[in-house]
Amino acid sequence: MPRNILIVGSGFAGTMAALEASRMRDEKGVSPDELAITVVSPEPVMVIRPRLYERNPETMVAPLTDLFAATDIRHHVGRVEAIDNGASTITVAASDGSTSSLPYERLVLAAGSEGFSPPIPGLAEFGFAATQLDEAVMLDRHLQGLAEKAASPGRNTVVVGGAGFTGLEYATEMPARLREILGEDSAVRVVIVDRSDHVAAAMGDEPRPFIEERLRALGIETRLNVGVAALDADGVTLSDGERIETSTVIWSGGMRASPLTAQLPADRDNLGRTIVEPDLRVPGAPKIFATGDTAKAQTDSQGNVAAMSCQHARRLGAFAGHNAAADLLGEPTLPYDQPAYVVCLDLGPDHAIFARGWDSKVEVTGAQAKGIKKEINEVWIYPPAADRAAAYENVLAARTIDF
Ligand SMILES: Cc1cc2nc3c(=O)[nH]c(=O)nc-3n(C[C@H](O)[C@H](O)[C@H](O)COP(=O)(O)OP(=O)(O)OC[C@H]3O[C@@H](n4cnc5c(N)ncnc54)[C@H](O)[C@@H]3O)c2cc1C
């Protein structure tokens, strides 16, 4: 039996963890027969979640089979249902409902996150979540189907609940999408609702005027300091009593880490993320590393913490894979760090905003920023080519180069 590392999840963090563990195995002259690296996920694909608000969300999937073959990474199809820290095993459910137990010497938890759905009356029944591939495809089908419905103000209105990054990207995409579907001359209405005083509250003061100006230019209405109180088949009622007729409510009220984090012995933050040690190890579970959206990790010595983002997930993944392999091969583990932070927010046709630093200094706006956004979304965040040397170069850069 080879020694083994299991990695739960084939998203940004899981793929980078597997590649970096493979790179390190190669660097140390250890063969895949001596150390097996296995990714467990429902399919050997990476869902490009940051593109789910775009057209044709069903195409936002990158295959991993050839990349894994080129780097001697195994893939096991299934969903992890349980982690047994004491026995060092995981329980995996296959699509036919059967379960199996897999042992691990080191485990990397990279199972990502899901949308947060509060108990708002009617939300589960009438709202559209859009943070997972199947949800985004369902929303897209619904939007396409609006063309078949009789014209009405409700049909032509989209309400977005939540004015964070994801809510803003969905909202600013909607006017053009609705016109494409309903006809260029159609009167369309998009309303974005948030309980806070401002849109993009997490981004600080400097970018706000650019974002607000963009919302105005697109004709998007804002309702701030109010919440979504209830949904029904014909519309939404806000917490101040306002009623908006709509067939489409997109819920974008935040993310929560994979529920698998609840099975670990460590404390979790308010987003359900495991509070990890500096090398991403799980306190109380020395053989387990948590990474990507499942980990709350310090990025620097200034008190900043990784966001639930690809930017952090890729590097967190590379560190977790490195440390899992280092631990098994008798090498020292490395403390995760990622001092640089940028945000590139899509703001609809030909517009985006690119800001740098935790205080969000605006560097580029408009069409130029949109070009950067396209480069990030369509090139940078995709998995590397199925070539061993190129893949190792890519993951080493993810772990060592801070931009
Ligand atoms: C609409 C949208 C827009 C976004 N825009 C941006 C952006 O502009 N910039 C940015 O940096 N970030 C953005 N994000 C956030 C970003 O997508 C996430 O932070 C990122 O995907 C986290 O990577 P991850 O690898 O931790 O998790 P994920 O990418 O979610 O991958 C998790 C993996 O685990 C698998 N998995 C889950 N549960 C199990 C289980 N029980 N067993 C086995 N496998 C499991 C999944 O199938 C998947 O393969 C956006 C997200 C959304 C939804």
Side-chain angles (χ1 to χ4, degrees), residues 218-383:
L218 289 167
I220 296 173
E221 300 168 38
T222 52
R223 299 286 187 279
L224 299 171
N225 294 309
V226 288
V228 171
L231 287 77
D232 56 53
D234 301 316
V236 61
T237 306
L238 306 185
S239 56
D240 63 358
E242 183 180 346
R243 169 91 188 156
I244 303 173
E245 300 295 313
T246 176
S247 312
T248 313
V249 177
I250 304 175
W251 181 252
S252 187
M255 312 279 270
R256 292 294 179 271
S258 159
L260 289 173
T261 57
Q263 300 187 22
L264 302 179
D267 289 340
R268 297 188 297 157
D269 73 354
N270 60 334
L271 303 177
R273 299 184 296 178
T274 303
I275 299 172
V276 290
E277 294 174 1
D279 65 357
L280 310 183
R281 209 184 292 261
V282 174
K287 295 181 182 173
I288 306 180
F289 295 82
T291 194
D293 280 2
T294 70
K296 180 181 184 182
Q298 300 270 351
T299 55
D300 54 32
S301 56
Q302 315 299 310
N304 295 308
V305 167
M308 282 181 162
S309 72
C310 292
Q311 177 183 174
H312 289 110
R314 282 173 50 85
R315 190 169 170 107
L316 279 163
F319 270 87
H322 184 94
N323 288 344
D327 218 30
L328 268 191
L329 299 175
E331 299 283 328
T333 60
L334 300 173
Y336 160 74
D337 76 329
Q338 190 165 5
Y341 177 56
V342 299
V343 171
C344 193
L345 182 67
D346 205 341
L347 292 172
D350 291 328
H351 281 268
I353 184 166
F354 180 88
R356 187 181 293 280
W358 291 97
D359 54 352
S360 297
K361 291 274 166 232
V362 176
E363 285 193 354
V364 190
T365 60
Q368 200 189 341
K370 183 76 171 193
I372 298 173
K373 183 70 180 177
K374 280 175 80 71
E375 183 79 11
I376 292 172
N377 271 8
E378 294 172 21
V379 182
W380 292 356
I381 61 175
Y382 272 73

Side-chain angles (χ1 to χ4, degrees), residues 34-357:
E34 296 169 287
L35 173 57
I37 299 163
T38 306
V39 174
V40 184
S41 69
E43 275 186 273
V45 298
M46 179 191 287
V47 175
I48 310 298
R49 293 177 71 199
R51 298 191 64 186
L52 291 180
Y53 65 93
E54 294 184 36
R55 288 163 184 74
N56 307 318
E58 67 283 357
T59 63
M60 303 308 173
V61 177
L64 295 170
T65 304
D66 291 350
L67 173 64
F68 285 172
T71 47
D72 291 307
I73 293 167
R74 304 176 187 186
H75 184 267
H76 184 106
V77 174
R79 283 196 80 78
V80 175
E81 288 190 335
I83 300 171
D84 187 333
N85 175 36
S88 300
T89 58
I90 56 174
T91 304
V92 184
S95 54
D96 64 4
S98 63
T99 59
S100 56
S101 174
L102 299 182
Y104 63 83
E105 284 183 84
R106 293 295 177 275
L107 182 75
V108 176
L109 179 62
S113 57
E114 23 192 79
F116 171 58
S117 283
I120 295 172
L123 180 60
E125 204 179 345
F126 302 109
F128 288 89
T131 67
Q132 305 293 345
L133 181 66
D134 55 344
E135 297 167 346
V137 170
M138 204 183 293
L139 170 65
D140 190 56
R141 286 200 190 121
H142 165 81
L143 291 171
Q144 301 292 345
L146 291 175
E148 314 300 324
K149 290 189 166 185
S152 71
R155 181 196 70 160
N156 292 23
T157 300
V158 170
V159 173
V160 178
F165 296 151
T166 307
L168 283 165
E169 289 189 331
Y170 269 108
T172 53
E173 177 83 0
M174 283 303 130
R177 280 281 281 286
L178 283 175
R179 285 195 193 96
E180 229 173 68
I181 293 164
L182 301 174
E184 285 306 317
D185 299 330
S186 301
V188 303
R189 185 180 181 206
V190 178
V191 185
I192 188 162
V193 181
D194 201 295
R195 279 198 178 278
S196 73
D197 295 353
H198 305 289
V199 297
M203 240 179 140
D205 293 340
E206 192 176 315
R208 196 165 299 131
F210 293 90
I211 298 169
E212 289 169 347
E213 168 51 29
R214 193 66 202 134
L215 294 177
R216 273 193 296 276
L218 289 167
I220 296 173
E221 300 168 38
T222 52
R223 299 286 187 279
L224 299 171
N225 294 309
V226 288
V228 171
L231 287 77
D232 56 53
D234 301 316
V236 61
T237 306
L238 306 185
S239 56
D240 63 358
E242 183 180 346
R243 169 91 188 156
I244 303 173
E245 300 295 313
T246 176
S247 312
T248 313
V249 177
I250 304 175
W251 181 252
S252 187
M255 312 279 270
R256 292 294 179 271
S258 159
L260 289 173
T261 57
Q263 300 187 22
L264 302 179
D267 289 340
R268 297 188 297 157
D269 73 354
N270 60 334
L271 303 177
R273 299 184 296 178
T274 303
I275 299 172
V276 290
E277 294 174 1
D279 65 357
L280 310 183
R281 209 184 292 261
V282 174
K287 295 181 182 173
I288 306 180
F289 295 82
T291 194
D293 280 2
T294 70
K296 180 181 184 182
Q298 300 270 351
T299 55
D300 54 32
S301 56
Q302 315 299 310
N304 295 308
V305 167
M308 282 181 162
S309 72
C310 292
Q311 177 183 174
H312 289 110
R314 282 173 50 85
R315 190 169 170 107
L316 279 163
F319 270 87
H322 184 94
N323 288 344
D327 218 30
L328 268 191
L329 299 175
E331 299 283 328
T333 60
L334 300 173
Y336 160 74
D337 76 329
Q338 190 165 5
Y341 177 56
V342 299
V343 171
C344 193
L345 182 67
D346 205 341
L347 292 172
D350 291 328
H351 281 268
I353 184 166
F354 180 88
R356 187 181 293 280

